[in-house]
Amino acid sequence: MGEQVKQKKNSKKQKRAVMRTAILAILVAAIGYTIYNSATAKDVSLLEVGDKAPDFALVDLEGNDHKLSDYEGQGVFLNFWGTWCKPCAKEMPAMDRQYEAFSNDGVQVLAVNIAQSDFEVQSFADQYGLSFPVVIDKTKSVMTAYNIRPLPTTVLVNPEGNIERIITGEMTEEDIEGFMEEIKPE
Amino acid sequence: MENLQCQCGHVNPPGTKLCESCGRSLTEKDQNSKLVDMRYEGTARRSQTYNKSIIDKIWNFFSSVKVGVSIIVVLLVAAAIGTILPQQAFVPATTETAIQEYYADTYGSIGRVYHFLGFHDLYSSYWFIALVGMLAISLVIASLDRFVPLYKSLKNQRVLRHPSFMDKQRIYAEGPGAEDTLQKAETKLKELKYNVRTDKNGLLAEKGRFSRWGPYVNHIGLIIFLFGVMLRMIPGFYIDESLWLREGETRAIPEVPGYYLESKNFELENYSGEGEEEVFGEALDRVGTVAKNYQTDVVLYQKPEDALPGADDSQEVVKEFPIRVNQPLKFDGYAIYQMDYRLDELKAMTFALTNKETEESLGELTIDLIDPEDIYELESGSTVELLGYYPDFSGFEDGEPQTATPLPNNPGFLVELTTPETPEGETSFITIQNTVEPLGENDYKLAFQSVETRDVSGLTVRKDSTLPILGLGGLIFMIGVAQGMYFNHRRFWIQQKADGTILLAGHTNKNWFGLKKDLDQVVEHASLPAYTDQQDEIDKAEKAEKEGEALS
């Protein structure tokens, strides 16, 4: 039994250890990745904070076009709502008041209605005396692009055009004020 | 563990049962048994040989077939438990908390535990995925540990084996032979499509070795299949969305950017039992209505690549297509299936402006419930002004009419009726079969005339880019099964001693009957000594012993 045999044996052992470690590592990594994907699958297509806000173009009740990218440099307070949704209706007057306060500071409010009729949206806007533009997403394409599930959902877009925050559910006036402060341009 | 040196001088790795070179049994147990265990050719399973580092220990754990089978059993039990309560997809709740509450409220503490452990969404629960992953690890490692030594052993097998190896084979013969016995046997075996190798005074005939790889090919197929399933979790590979589409509506298709779908018409057709279908009459009388066709006529639109969501850009018609059950609309890797329907949602209502006393009508108006107008002018000079519209009227709150949903399930209208006789206008709140006159008695009313309805199609949007991978995995799996099941690895060893005695041994991994049929032909042609099936003899002896016990 010379040194050579021993050396050969040792290198064989080493090779085996490397091989086994590599195979196990690959398999464990694949499983880990799968579990990670499954854990995040539910909101995987949902937008995340920091993402570029998908651009869209919608028409408001006065017939004006509103393109999200036109508001770059301003903060955009994007509120998805429907007339049947009570919390949506509740937060509207507060949003309107805060819009009055922040509109001169470069914060824009866009209220995106989900595919309702002009009549319903118009009478709602009249009833609440809304001063910010109200647009209607007739084909639910913006809703789909933003993957909006519960209403109301509010997406805060900062002056760079990125998503600053996503809020689902009703907001208090204090919340709204704080959020507008967040996306106010410097 | 120490290496094992055989009497023939060959050094075998620890754990070896039969000498790699000559075939002698190396353990006492094997030496004393009548037949040798030929599994994996008596080689050492690789993992048994070393057990030092933590990696080796993990490796050895997964190399065990017992562990693999245990994982499968646990998976089966888990899957069975997953069928006891409904999965979350079939539960009438959408948000995470609502689902949790549903299980707790409906099934009590059992439901709470069920939800806590992730059984409500079994295939996505992390421990289930981890178990499937462990099964994959077990498949890979157990296969490698068995395939590699077996492959080496079969590749390096020698023609001449020790007589003690041969007489422990199930098929064995010993007896006098002629001078040309070996040559004749070789000729016949070659005729039977055996690969024959000779060495000095012996020969080894072999056929169908590839059948031994069947289980490993099969496992490769399974691994590919599992890989495909894993890809489904990665965004973009697998889409399964539902879309409710009403007649006349155009909607963005969820998860399919740039495409829009319009429903022109939904149709539910039943068997009538008349005319050509008279043959079905009896069956229809027995079971009632039977659906013949569910169909949604759709138009698929595509917007230009740079078009923004919501923009009213020029959309192009891609396809008009009738979607029927099992005949999905296919485009660009996506498929849209007909899955569900709802008939007769309200679409428009027609009223007549009527004088309550004289029942005289001043004309009719139709209110589109999807897109109502502000004001309806009648020929008589009267007008009906819509003050409020509540598509799904659910009662009053602070004197304000409310709507529960945006769907016209129970439309309510607040209208002002103006006629030449009542120019100052009369206010009326109308719901189905009910009119309220909040500001005092009116002279006129809106009398309900007729209703238009529309149907709703429940469609499913699906894309599955993993199907080719799953198909490939399945195909390889089946090839492996066929390889292992329908082909046999047959071997014969024949030796002629100096005194002319013939030693003959035969082995196959399955189908001993086929092996014997081959051997019968060789025996006859080469006048080999008659062989015995030693397993049969052992069985017979055992049986006789048992009968003997029973008799005494």
Side-chain angles (χ1 to χ4, degrees):
Chain A
M1 279 286 261
E3 279 292 300
Q4 261 187 333
V5 180
K6 237 180 186 170
Q7 243 172 20
K8 208 176 147 193
K9 225 174 142 185
N10 268 340
S11 86
K12 217 176 151 186
K13 255 190 204 168
Q14 223 165 17
K15 238 170 93 183
R16 187 192 74 225
V18 170
M19 198 68 173
R20 289 184 170 186
T21 312
I23 292 174
L24 276 174
I26 291 170
L27 289 168
V28 169
I31 296 167
Y33 184 62
T34 312
I35 292 176
Y36 168 79
N37 265 318
S38 140
T40 55
K42 268 152 221 137
D43 41 45
V44 87
S45 44
L46 195 79
L47 294 167
E48 276 178 45
V49 170
D51 287 353
K52 183 93 191 145
D55 200 5
F56 62 84
L58 289 173
V59 185
D60 72 11
L61 296 171
E62 273 85 56
N64 302 317
D65 278 321
H66 293 272
K67 206 168 135 188
L68 182 67
S69 50
D70 287 347
Y71 293 109
E72 230 173 85
Q74 298 183 46
V76 181
F77 192 93
L78 209 54
N79 179 260
F80 292 86
W81 69 284
T83 63
W84 72 95
C85 146
K86 295 212 169 74
C88 304
K90 264 195 204 158
E91 64 189 15
M92 281 291 177
M95 267 167 57
D96 200 51
R97 281 194 292 277
Q98 292 306 318
Y99 172 67
E100 302 273 339
F102 278 89
S103 57
N104 291 331
D105 297 338
V107 175
Q108 181 66 38
V109 172
L110 279 181
V112 183
N113 175 275
I114 306 299
Q116 287 188 275
S117 64
D118 291 346
F119 177 84
E120 288 163 90
V121 178
Q122 183 69 62
S123 37
F124 184 94
D126 291 346
Q127 186 189 340
Y128 286 88
L130 302 178
S131 48
F132 47 75
V134 178
V135 294
I136 304 177
D137 183 16
K138 289 271 183 199
T139 58
K140 296 192 183 175
S141 55
V142 180
M143 179 191 173
T144 308
Y146 278 78
N147 211 336
I148 302 296
R149 288 289 146 101
L151 291 183
T153 293
T154 303
V155 179
L156 302 184
V157 183
N158 64 22
E160 289 78 47
N162 297 323
I163 294 176
E164 183 79 23
R165 192 194 276 270
I166 299 167
I167 307 112
T168 51
E170 194 185 331
M171 303 171 289
T172 65
E173 183 146 7
E174 275 175 5
D175 292 339
I176 296 171
E177 189 181 353
F179 295 150
M180 291 205 179
E181 198 67 52
E182 256 176 52
I183 51 171
K184 195 172 85 173
E186 300 290 314
Chain B
M1 273 202 263
E2 281 302 304
N3 285 345
L4 300 167
Q5 186 163 25
C6 177
Q7 286 168 12
C8 72
H10 183 80
V11 179
N12 293 288
T16 309
K17 292 214 173 80
L18 302 175
C19 173
E20 292 170 336
S21 175
C22 69
R24 273 193 189 89
S25 298
L26 294 173
T27 64
E28 212 168 306
K29 191 173 153 256
D30 289 322
Q31 277 159 9
N32 293 333
S33 72
K34 206 151 185 226
L35 293 178
V36 291
D37 182 1
M38 286 291 282
R39 272 209 293 173
Y40 312 116
E41 297 293 292
T43 57
R45 255 210 297 126
R46 293 209 306 171
S47 65
Q48 288 180 335
T49 53
Y50 314 98
N51 195 357
K52 281 183 184 153
S53 69
I54 181 85
I55 291 289
D56 287 335
K57 280 189 176 139
I58 296 172
W59 189 273
N60 293 349
F61 176 76
F62 284 111
S63 179
S64 156
V65 169
K66 268 186 205 151
V67 169
V69 171
S70 308
I71 294 173
I72 292 174
V73 170
V74 174
L75 280 171
L76 284 177
V77 170
I81 294 174
T83 63
I84 294 176
L85 299 185
Q87 291 287 295
Q88 74 166 15
F90 305 103
V91 155
T94 44
T95 62
E96 199 58 44
T97 45
I99 289 169
Q100 193 175 350
E101 274 165 21
Y102 178 86
Y103 279 95
D105 293 349
T106 319
Y107 306 108
S109 48
I110 294 173
R112 210 168 286 133
V113 173
Y114 200 82
H115 183 274
F116 178 76
L117 293 177
F119 280 108
H120 67 293
D121 191 11
L122 188 67
Y123 296 147
S124 306
S125 66
Y126 66 93
W127 59 266
F128 192 86
I129 298 174
L131 270 176
V132 175
M134 281 166 69
L135 181 62
I137 295 183
S138 161
L139 279 175
V140 170
I141 291 180
S143 301
L144 275 177
D145 266 4
R146 286 166 179 76
F147 171 74
V148 173
L150 178 65
Y151 177 80
K152 279 187 184 159
S153 161
L154 286 177
K155 195 170 168 237
N156 300 328
Q157 64 183 319
R158 302 213 347 214
V159 173
L160 294 175
R161 293 295 183 105
H162 191 262
S164 76
F165 170 84
M166 297 183 56
D167 70 15
K168 281 181 181 173
Q169 293 299 324
R170 186 169 158 182
I171 300 294
Y172 181 67
E174 191 176 348
E179 228 170 78
D180 58 350
T181 302
L182 274 183
Q183 277 146 354
K184 275 190 166 169
E186 185 181 346
T187 325
K188 190 65 195 176
L189 283 163
K190 278 186 173 158
E191 211 175 282
L192 292 171
K193 303 251 164 57
Y194 279 78
N195 290 315
V196 184
R197 277 161 59 204
T198 55
D199 186 12
K200 291 176 202 153
N201 59 336
L203 72 79
L204 165 61
E206 191 180 12
K207 184 165 145 178
R209 190 196 286 178
F210 80 103
S211 143
R212 299 290 286 269
W213 316 142
Y216 311 107
V217 172
N218 179 304
H219 285 177
I220 291 171
L222 271 179
I223 293 292
I224 293 174
F225 196 92
L226 286 176
F227 177 72
V229 174
M230 188 188 95
L231 285 184
R232 283 191 165 200
M233 308 265 184
I234 294 171
F237 274 97
Y238 182 68
I239 289 169
D240 187 4
E241 289 278 332
S242 55
L243 168 67
W244 286 96
L245 195 60
R246 296 172 171 78
E247 285 173 329
E249 268 184 353
T250 303
R251 285 284 175 264
I253 305 175
E255 303 284 339
V256 189
Y259 282 101
Y260 293 75
L261 203 63
E262 180 186 3
S263 167
K264 288 281 187 201
N265 180 37
F266 173 80
E267 208 168 276
L268 165 59
E269 203 183 334
N270 291 320
Y271 282 101
S272 63
E274 285 162 12
E276 271 180 34
E277 292 171 5
E278 220 172 288
V279 284
F280 304 132
E282 206 176 303
L284 289 173
D285 286 342
R286 191 157 41 82
V287 299
T289 348
V290 174
K292 187 180 181 184
N293 185 23
Y294 303 93
Q295 178 173 328
T296 308
D297 296 323
V298 296
V299 186
L300 177 71
Y301 298 100
Q302 187 178 19
K303 286 197 175 172
E305 201 119 308
D306 54 347
L308 298 177
D312 222 1
D313 288 345
S314 55
Q315 49 188 19
E316 269 175 49
V317 176
V318 180
K319 215 190 247 184
E320 289 184 29
F321 189 82
I323 300 178
R324 305 166 74 178
V325 175
N326 292 334
Q327 291 170 24
L329 164 66
K330 289 191 171 173
F331 63 97
D332 204 11
Y334 300 94
I336 299 186
Y337 291 86
Q338 175 71 49
M339 291 296 271
D340 203 350
Y341 68 95
R342 279 202 299 263
L343 292 180
D344 301 332
E345 230 179 60
L346 294 177
K347 177 172 179 269
M349 290 172 90
T350 303
F351 297 94
L353 181 58
T354 316
N355 186 310
K356 276 159 103 180
E357 221 165 273
T358 63
E359 295 281 319
E360 187 198 351
S361 169
L362 295 181
E364 292 192 350
L365 68 150
T366 299
I367 301 178
D368 184 339
L369 301 175
I370 316 312
D371 191 11
E373 286 166 36
D374 297 346
I375 195 155
Y376 296 85
E377 308 209 353
L378 304 184
E379 283 168 18
S380 56
S382 315
T383 60
V384 174
E385 193 183 349
L386 198 56
L387 301 177
Y389 170 49
Y390 313 92
D392 195 2
F393 175 67
S394 59
F396 294 92
E397 223 170 78
D398 302 329
E400 190 71 34
Q402 303 292 319
T403 180
T405 70
L407 303 173
N409 297 324
N410 181 28
F413 312 93
L414 186 64
V415 289
E416 188 172 77
L417 314 173
T418 316
T419 64
E421 279 171 49
T422 53
E424 69 287 354
E426 295 176 336
T427 307
S428 178
F429 184 72
I430 306 160
T431 53
I432 291 171
Q433 294 195 332
N434 188 27
T435 301
V436 180
E437 292 167 354
L439 307 179
E441 191 80 0
N442 295 343
D443 293 340
Y444 286 89
K445 66 168 182 183
L446 282 186
F448 172 74
Q449 300 295 308
S450 63
V451 67
E452 273 176 59
T453 61
R454 62 176 178 174
D455 303 329
V456 192
S457 306
L459 304 173
T460 288
V461 183
R462 203 166 278 160
K463 177 187 167 184
D464 192 350
S465 313
T466 67
L467 277 182
I469 299 171
L470 298 184
L472 179 71
L475 179 71
I476 293 177
F477 179 94
M478 285 314 294
I479 290 174
V481 170
Q483 201 175 331
M485 296 293 271
Y486 297 121
F487 298 88
N488 323 124
H489 180 216
R490 295 174 185 168
R491 276 177 297 173
F492 295 111
W493 297 269
I494 308 177
Q495 272 176 46
Q496 188 158 35
K497 287 186 183 167
D499 64 0
T501 313
I502 293 283
L503 294 184
L504 164 80
H507 179 260
T508 180
N509 60 339
K510 50 174 64 82
N511 187 6
W512 293 84
F513 179 75
L515 180 85
K516 288 178 197 166
K517 253 173 71 183
D518 279 359
L519 186 54
D520 287 340
Q521 292 186 53
V522 182
V523 168
E524 196 184 336
H525 185 258
S527 47
L528 292 165
Y531 64 89
T532 52
D533 184 332
Q534 305 201 74
Q535 186 65 49
D536 277 0
E537 286 184 357
I538 292 172
D539 291 348
K540 253 186 231 163
E542 269 174 14
K543 208 176 160 195
E545 205 175 303
K546 260 188 201 160
E547 274 168 9
E549 271 172 23
L551 283 176
S552 65

